[in-house]
Amino acid sequence: MSVEETLVEKLRALPPDKQRSVLEFVESLDEGNGSQPQRRLLRGALSHLNIHISEDQITEARREMWPRYVREGSD
């Protein structure tokens, strides 16, 4: 059996969400960007958690954390 046939067989056995992760990984390989595959793989690996964080929530968390960091670091 060729590599292509083996890949197709294994891909068909995966659930749709895993197939999507494989597709994203293969697309990232095609792009040739060294850091991009890790980001896409991480996003795909955590997608089942259905966590959606807005830019506003990130900004608010930074505002809450930064003052404590400055105070703790200056003691």
Side-chain angles (χ1 to χ4, degrees), residues 1-10:
M1 186 179 286
S2 72
V3 172
E4 181 180 352
E5 292 169 334
T6 303
L7 283 171
V8 170
E9 182 180 299
K10 291 188 178 287

Side-chain angles (χ1 to χ4, degrees), residues 23-40 43:
L23 176 61
E24 288 178 0
F25 174 71
V26 171
E27 287 174 342
S28 71
L29 290 176
D30 193 38
E31 291 173 4
N33 185 344
S35 63
Q36 194 71 349
Q38 291 179 346
R39 280 190 233 153
R40 287 187 177 194
R43 183 173 58 228

